[in-house]
Amino acid sequence: MKIEDKKRVLREMVLHRRFEERCYQAYIERKIGGFLHLYPGQEACCNGVMEAARPGHDYVITGYRDHVHAIKCGADPKAVMAELYGKETGSSKGRGGSMHIFDGDKRFMGGYALVGGPFPLAAGIAKAIQLKGGDEIAICFLGDAANNQGVFHETLNMAALWKLPVLFVCENNLYGIGTSIERSTAVVHQHKRVAAYNIPADECDGQDIEIVYEAARKAVDHVRSGNGPYFLELMTYRYRGHSMSDSRGYRSREEEELWKQRDPIFILRDRLIKDGAMTMADFETLEKETDAYIENEVIKFSEESPEPRVEDLEKYVFADRETQLPWLTGKAA
Amino acid sequence: MANIMYWEAIQRAHDEEMARDPLVICMGEDIGVAGGTYKATKGLYEKYGPLRVMDTPISEGGFTGLGIGASFLGVRPIIEIMSVNFAWLAMDQMFNSAAKVRYMSGGQLTAPCVFRSAGGAAHQLGAQHSARMEKVFMGIAGLRVVTPSNPKQAYGLLKSAIRCDDPVFINEHELMYNMKGEVPDGEYFHPLEGSEVARSGTDVTLFGYNISVHWCLKAAEILDKQYGISAEVIDLYSLAPLDREGIKKSVSKTHRAVIAEEDEAPVGVGSEVIAIINEECFFELDAAPVRVHSALVPQPYNHTLEKAAIPDHEDVVKAVLKLFGKA
Ligand SMILES: Cc1ncc(C[n+]2csc(CCOP(=O)(O)OP(=O)(O)O)c2C)c(N)n1
Ligand SMILES: [Mg+2]
């Protein structure tokens, strides 16, 4: 990665980290309801892959741990936070919530809450790309535990069979809620499960963004060149509990500390400092600026935005009636 | 007007729409090279090729989700599920993805896909191949459900479903694919909402849909000839939404209602129509509405038991006679 890109991505990753930490705080303050799945610890995964892809051009889909993926694709952090606040200005107009962030314009095709649900949707997006003949690819980010769903295998089979332009990124954080991967899955290294479908697969460290980036470049090139699907497994760790009501009794504090020593942001920061591209003081300033932006713009916007109107409760269930009348009434012109 | 079979009508709708729009595709098990279990996609593979006529692996959840994902980008997939009994495996994607994506994205994404499936009890297919499942589909927000009772509807409903931006489930019937009927020669779009007066009458309304419309029509004939009772038959080709106005209008005229469904009674078209009658025109009633429905059993294999489980026109006649105190 070029030095300028590394500095930009560090800035983005700090935003992603601080954004998520601020969500945590807002949740404690009861500004955010429902389930809230946070991303700290895994930032190099999404960032490394998307640096190798084309955010806003390639189609991205993921699960419920979706804020950072949306922002990385180009969604406005203000709209994402407003969505968590349930406001009309939210990315899904307050109808979706934390697990259902969407930004159609930026080709972020959404967060979905059924574990494994996005697998076939991603392949379908790739099918549409194939039919239309574009150079986009579909990228599906999901967790390790999602691979125990039947649709994982169904989708790999179809994607390989029809050579669909889809990249599956497995963020292997070693847990599905409170069940460690050894206790749920016969094979810890997920890329091995893909071999049966004749899909090239790779595994790498998910904490060092440059390693992720190099592996992702290979993956993205493969898919974009029309060679069909690819599976990339990134070994990573989530610092916080699965969602908000998780006291992490299923793992040790020592294990957590070990992973925190390989923090994706600090790895990149220390490398930039070592290379003389920035100082520790620069980094501290960056953190302060990021916090100020989140507070003065993101939170302020979310606080001040209006609630959806109750009269609009049933809006968006179906397509706008007026536009569908020929088919609903049979009175086609 | 051409006199063609139900399956031919469905095939024609596919063909016309695929010829018109390169983004209309179809997919399902054995629909391509083999021509379709019920011939509904016959000849399309040869004409449009494997990219648009997709023989899928036996992965209902997977290929249904794949079709839905493609529809997010404006592709219009017609997804055939060989038998409605297998649709359970696809329901997660139908209900959680297709039906909800528009709402949970605040209107940004839509899933303009069509699901077609053969439902109903055929002949001795046993418990896992005889389900009637319209009740499962008709209570899902964001999903339209229609069910054709004749070739004209089979053609026109599919045409409209493909064009409509909402996901539509089309419930067909295994016993009806060879039924013949008149279909307009020109392009025809059947409304996805509303209901049809299949026979006009004054003394009682018989509500049916799909195959039970035919029981009702036959029953009306018998009631007229043998008992001097004039029955109106309403074809509820749209199960979601149900036609509140049409139901109210007919019951307000006849003041009596019988609902005939091939499905089991709890939680179904019958209970829903009665609820609508209660809400819309309770005081128009001269007698309590009656349901004709199948027994609540996994469909038996034995021929006699199967016949006993599924109602027919005679059960409709009996229900009406009871309503008039003649039985
Ligand atoms: C179909 C389904 N089953 C169960 C759940 C409950 N659930 C939510 S997240 C989760 C664990 C998923 O773990 P993983 O795929 O590894 O992703 P991670 O949360 O670690 O990012 C479970 C069991 C669900 N949302 N959907
Ligand atoms: Mg996990």
Side-chain angles (χ1 to χ4, degrees), chain A residues 196-262:
Chain A
Y197 297 100
N198 223 354
I199 294 174
D202 193 8
E203 177 204 297
C204 72
D205 174 23
Q207 301 307 93
D208 184 333
I209 187 162
E210 294 200 79
I211 293 176
V212 175
Y213 174 75
E214 286 309 326
R217 262 198 5 186
K218 217 176 110 196
V220 168
D221 279 354
H222 174 92
V223 177
R224 208 186 299 286
S225 315
N227 301 314
Y230 194 101
F231 183 93
L232 179 60
E233 177 179 12
L234 307 171
M235 301 308 293
T236 187
Y237 202 77
R238 70 167 149 72
Y239 293 164
R240 291 206 169 272
H242 168 74
S243 180
M244 296 301 283
S245 55
D246 175 357
S247 49
R248 310 184 328 276
Y250 48 83
R251 66 189 196 190
S252 69
R253 298 298 83 88
E254 293 74 35
E255 178 184 293
E256 292 178 354
E257 274 319 305
L258 222 65
W259 276 94
K260 284 183 180 173
Q261 283 168 20
R262 299 207 62 248

Side-chain angles (χ1 to χ4, degrees), chain B residues 153-174:
Chain B
Q153 288 184 2
Y155 166 77
L157 285 171
L158 178 52
K159 294 271 291 182
S160 295
I162 294 167
R163 303 284 185 105
C164 180
D165 289 338
D166 299 321
V168 182
F169 179 79
I170 306 184
N171 187 60
E172 296 163 4
H173 198 293
E174 295 206 20

Side-chain angles (χ1 to χ4, degrees), chain A residues 6 10 63 114 129 131 137 143 155 160 190 284 295 303:
Chain A
K6 282 195 263 189
L10 181 69
L114 276 281
I129 294 168
L131 276 174
I137 65 170
T155 302
Q190 299 301 300
E284 279 158 14
E295 221 45 53
E303 294 272 359

Side-chain angles (χ1 to χ4, degrees), chain A residues 91 127 132 154 313 319 324, chain B residues 51 62 73 103 108 165-166:
Chain A
S91 40
K127 170 72 192 177
K132 292 177 164 193
E154 296 180 16
L313 174 66
Q324 305 299 310
Chain B
L51 271 186
L73 269 65
Y103 197 83
Q108 294 186 75
D165 289 338
D166 299 321

